Amino acid sequence: AFLLEVVFVEQALEEEYDAKDAGVKVKPRACTDMCCLTILIAYMMGMGYVMTFSLANGNLDVLTHGYDWEGRVCGVDPGVKNLPLLYWCVEGGTKVSDGICVSECPTGKDTQHECPGPAEHETQVVSQPDGSTNVVVSVTRNLKNQTDIATMEVLSMYCFPSENKAIITQILKQAGLDGSTQRLVMGLHGVASSKKFLLGVMIFAVVAGYVFLFFLRAVVKPLIYAIGLAMWLALLAGAIYFVLVAAGSDELQNPWNRMLVTPEDQHKAAVGTAGGLVVLFLLFSCFMVVAHRAVRITCASIEEACAALFKMPTLLLQPLLDTCLKVTAIAFGIYGLAVVCSLGKVTTSNAFVDPETGISISGLQRHLTLENWQWGMVAYWLFGAVWTVEILGALGQFAISHAMVVSCLLEGNRGHCFPLLRGYGNGIIFHLGTVAFGAFLLGVMRIITAAMAFIAKQTADKDGGNKVAKLLCCCCTCCLGCLQKVLEMLNEMVYTDVAIRGCNYPAAAKNVIKMLATDMDVWALVHGSTRIVKVLGEFAIGAGGTFMCYLLLTNPAIASKASAALSQVQGASDMLYTSDTDGTLVASAVICFGVATAFMTIFDHTAGALMYCLLYKRDNNVDCEVPESFKLAGVAPSGYQKYPEGEGQK
């Protein structure tokens, strides 16, 4: 740690010298927001204590492992400590009976296990000396050897059938799980059986992200014009269609017929829709006529952001690094939450009893009861996990901002290698308190917004409830969501200002607000254009990848061709196999959209950081070229002065 600190302090000094050579006024790099850093360290120590206490006094296996027909938790209770896996016996290969604990999952029909048989009832009538009569009912279950079926080990805790999906459905249904939980378990089983396919999906999504950036850099101008033309044609077609419907055309069907009952309401809805689309079409047409300058600025800004990314190729690794860090943090947070919850009282229950045989299907359902102090530890851990994820995301934003500051403000000076690593290092060594400050504000806002959204949903679900309360909850949710978006955008610029000036969070926020107040039009154009491209990229990569996975998993012709091609690759012949298509498809969609979001987020933040650096250059009289976006627009922002060639620019 000492060597790393020496290295990054030396690099920070080099950047200060280069900044002075370039005419950029910067403060000596020093630690910022030490108070918040102290709180962060204390909170992390508290999370460490919670985890240590939970590991010492709880048992995660009680919460996650299955239990057998006698109610013993596999791998935990006496008698089954060395048998951590739960296996459901299957009588005759089709009828599921009770679960037993085993040391390893059966892989075929060549092995047998002792399974409990049907219950045998015996009733005895016992006369007492005082003349009363007691009726004693005893239940006996004999163990008998049954032939095993092929299973696969899931999460090192359960043995689920690997070849018979109907048996899995029977287990989940008879274990007392509701429909959504059954679908979740079946989906997880499908994910576990299609690891190779999902790995291929992730590789495809990453490659698609890089291809989209290359494509965007090459055809950004035709793309922007194509988007505008497509929106114009869509509004025109929609307006014409609904005008004809409102005029009473018999050849066209009114889309409102499916949602409204009476013909009068259907006609009114069609007229209103037609009027709204006509107004939108006229407004959009006027905008397209007068917005040539805005479109040129938009195209050039996107081109500059792409050029900056490819100028520093290591920045393209940031989406992968950011995704890995966040996934690791989320996984550890979920694991820690489960460990803390294991402090509570866990009780097992046999949810289903066959009335004919008396066999109780057990193994999955249980109840968790927490005391007040345990709920407090759960809340403490949850907030810490959210804060940690936000800090990692903020560190990634700071690393991008730092790289753009070095590239934009120190251009032409001594080169700086590994800008991404340097950005992370400077953020951790000098500005971890500032990063934690911004992450804390955003984390609190996310939690409050999520809580208000939950309350609004609860009030909306109650029939005949207080309509005023529903309206107030919806308004509060919308306002909080808007504040959250504003805070996200503010944080992006704040980290760029911190990378430039080396100041704390409140001072950086003040600088950002002051700068945006004077250049709101430039910020709106760049931010709006990059957000449009971001949404477009997320849809193209996420939806496109998901649709391809859908075709591979559901279209027999395409699947057979793909399987034939994969059979030529060693170890990939079973790549398209899955036990649950829906679960694998959902997992594929999550991967595609997650990777797409990571790539488009770095693009969006790069454009914003580049814009802020250029505005900083202008306001601080740093010699620089007028940005290409403003050259193409034919104007220069306020503060730039054009000089004849050879006399420099200000």
Side-chain angles (χ1 to χ4, degrees):
F2 174 75
L3 291 177
L4 287 175
E5 183 173 359
V6 170
V7 170
F8 285 112
V9 169
E10 181 180 356
Q11 292 175 347
L13 292 175
E14 291 178 1
E15 291 167 8
E16 291 169 18
Y17 294 144
D18 290 347
K20 292 177 181 178
D21 294 340
V24 181
K25 299 177 181 179
V26 296
K27 292 182 178 180
R29 189 70 64 181
C31 295
T32 54
D33 289 299
M34 290 298 297
C35 181
C36 189
L37 178 60
T38 304
I39 295 175
L40 172 65
I41 294 174
Y43 200 99
M44 292 297 109
M45 293 175 64
M47 290 186 68
Y49 171 77
V50 170
M51 174 61 77
T52 304
F53 179 84
S54 301
L55 288 173
N57 297 276
N59 191 340
L60 184 59
D61 293 343
V62 176
L63 197 63
T64 57
H65 279 237
Y67 57 92
D68 66 1
W69 63 284
E70 296 183 77
R72 300 175 299 178
V73 179
C74 299
V76 177
D77 290 337
V80 291
K81 278 190 175 182
N82 297 324
L83 306 174
L85 301 170
L86 178 67
Y87 166 70
W88 285 273
C89 298
V90 180
E91 185 177 356
T94 57
K95 187 174 180 58
V96 177
S97 62
D98 235 329
I100 61 174
C101 298
V102 296
S103 58
E104 59 182 10
C105 293
T107 58
K109 300 180 179 180
D110 53 344
T111 57
Q112 292 183 338
H113 280 94
E114 286 188 340
C115 299
E120 298 178 358
H121 299 81
E122 182 179 355
T123 304
Q124 294 181 346
V125 179
V126 181
S127 300
Q128 300 296 328
D130 58 358
S132 61
T133 301
N134 290 343
V135 178
V136 180
V137 180
S138 60
V139 179
T140 304
R141 300 185 66 180
N142 297 320
L143 298 177
K144 61 179 181 179
N145 288 328
Q146 288 187 5
T147 303
D148 296 329
I149 63 172
T151 60
M152 60 181 296
E153 187 176 312
V154 177
L155 302 176
S156 299
M157 292 179 288
Y158 300 97
C159 300
F160 278 105
S162 58
E163 300 176 354
N164 195 330
K165 185 177 178 180
I167 296 180
I168 302 179
T169 305
Q170 187 179 354
I171 291 173
L172 298 177
K173 182 178 180 180
Q174 294 182 347
L177 303 179
D178 57 17
S180 59
T181 307
Q182 292 180 33
R183 290 300 314 138
L184 176 61
V185 176
M186 292 293 294
L188 292 176
H189 185 268
V191 171
S193 65
S194 56
K195 296 177 182 177
K196 294 181 181 180
F197 178 78
L198 295 177
L199 178 61
V201 171
M202 178 175 291
I203 295 175
F204 168 81
V206 171
V207 173
Y210 289 119
V211 170
F212 183 83
L213 290 179
F214 278 105
F215 174 78
L216 186 63
R217 183 183 181 185
V219 297
V220 58
K221 188 176 296 184
L223 181 64
I224 296 297
Y225 280 102
I227 292 174
L229 180 61
M231 294 178 63
W232 186 83
L233 292 176
L235 289 174
L236 176 62
I240 294 175
Y241 183 89
F242 275 98
V243 166
L244 293 177
V245 170
S249 175
D250 297 332
E251 299 179 357
L252 300 176
Q253 183 179 6
N254 188 352
W256 293 105
N257 292 347
R258 299 181 179 180
M259 291 170 277
L260 300 176
V261 179
T262 62
E264 295 181 359
D265 292 339
Q266 296 169 359
H267 180 71
K268 290 180 180 179
V271 172
T273 305
L277 288 176
V278 168
V279 172
L280 287 176
F281 171 75
L282 294 176
L283 291 176
F284 189 77
S285 299
C286 295
F287 173 78
M288 292 294 290
V289 171
V290 301
H292 292 296
R293 172 181 171 236
V295 172
R296 287 195 295 267
I297 293 177
T298 297
C299 296
S301 299
I302 295 173
E303 288 177 349
E304 289 180 8
C306 293
L309 282 175
F310 288 104
K311 181 180 178 181
M312 295 176 287
T314 55
L315 280 184
L316 295 177
L317 298 176
Q318 201 275 341
L320 299 179
L321 180 60
D322 184 66
T323 301
C324 291
L325 290 175
K326 286 185 177 180
V327 168
T328 302
I330 293 173
F332 182 75
I334 295 175
Y335 170 77
L337 178 63
V339 172
V340 175
C341 289
S342 68
L343 291 172
K345 183 179 180 182
V346 180
T347 56
T348 60
S349 61
N350 291 336
F352 174 83
V353 178
D354 192 330
E356 298 181 359
T357 63
I359 295 177
S360 56
I361 309 299
S362 61
L364 292 177
Q365 195 177 63
R366 66 204 71 203
H367 301 284
L368 175 65
T369 305
L370 296 174
E371 299 180 6
N372 291 334
W373 65 273
Q374 293 169 341
W375 278 113
M377 296 183 74
V378 169
Y380 185 91
W381 180 268
L382 271 177
F383 180 78
V386 172
W387 195 9
T388 302
V389 174
E390 293 294 339
I391 288 175
L392 292 176
L395 273 176
Q397 292 180 339
F398 179 85
I400 299 172
S401 297
H402 182 272
M404 295 308 303
V405 168
V406 172
S407 173
C408 187
L409 298 186
L410 309 185
E411 186 176 3
N413 293 276
R414 181 168 61 250
H416 297 281
C417 58
F418 303 111
L420 185 62
L421 179 61
R422 293 168 67 92
Y424 272 103
N426 277 274
I428 295 173
I429 299 298
F430 297 107
H431 305 297
L432 185 58
T434 301
V435 169
F437 196 129
F440 176 83
L441 295 178
L442 191 56
V444 171
M445 186 60 65
R446 289 190 194 279
I447 293 176
I448 295 176
T449 304
M452 185 56 65
F454 176 77
I455 295 174
K457 186 177 184 303
Q458 294 298 109
T459 57
D461 290 341
K462 294 181 180 179
D463 296 331
N466 192 327
K467 294 184 178 180
V468 176
K470 295 179 182 179
L471 180 61
L472 290 176
C473 287
C474 292
C475 292
C476 290
T477 302
C478 294
C479 292
L480 289 173
C482 182
L483 289 176
Q484 178 181 320
K485 293 295 183 182
V486 171
L487 186 58
E488 290 175 356
M489 294 184 290
L490 180 67
N491 277 357
E492 293 179 1
M493 302 302 157
V494 165
Y495 298 140
T496 306
D497 191 84
V498 171
I500 296 174
R501 307 174 194 266
C503 55
N504 56 25
Y505 188 93
K510 182 179 178 180
N511 295 331
V512 170
I513 294 174
K514 181 180 178 181
M515 184 174 290
L516 293 182
T518 58
D519 295 283
M520 183 60 69
D521 56 343
V522 177
W523 176 84
L525 285 171
V526 175
H527 181 75
S529 62
T530 53
R531 284 302 167 97
I532 292 175
V533 175
K534 179 184 177 183
V535 173
L536 179 64
E538 290 175 349
F539 179 79
I541 300 172
T546 303
F547 181 70
M548 291 184 64
C549 295
Y550 172 79
L551 293 178
L552 286 172
L553 295 174
T554 59
N555 191 303
I558 297 177
S560 61
K561 293 180 180 179
S563 299
L566 291 172
S567 62
Q568 306 298 324
V569 182
Q570 184 177 3
S573 58
D574 59 341
M575 190 172 180
L576 296 181
Y577 169 76
T578 177
S579 62
D580 187 81
T581 302
D582 294 340
T584 304
L585 188 60
V586 170
S588 301
V590 171
I591 292 174
C592 291
F593 278 98
V595 173
T597 300
F599 270 89
M600 292 300 102
T601 298
I602 184 177
F603 165 79
D604 181 40
H605 188 66
T606 299
L610 177 64
M611 176 206 69
Y612 194 87
C613 290
L614 295 174
L615 294 178
Y616 175 85
K617 276 180 160 184
R618 181 204 66 190
D619 293 341
N620 290 272
N621 297 324
V622 180
D623 291 339
C624 64
E625 293 285 340
V626 176
E628 187 67 22
S629 58
F630 302 119
K631 288 182 181 179
L632 293 178
V635 296
S638 58
Y640 275 109
Q641 298 179 6
K642 290 189 175 182
Y643 293 89
E645 186 176 356
E647 296 185 10
Q649 294 176 349
K650 187 175 180 182

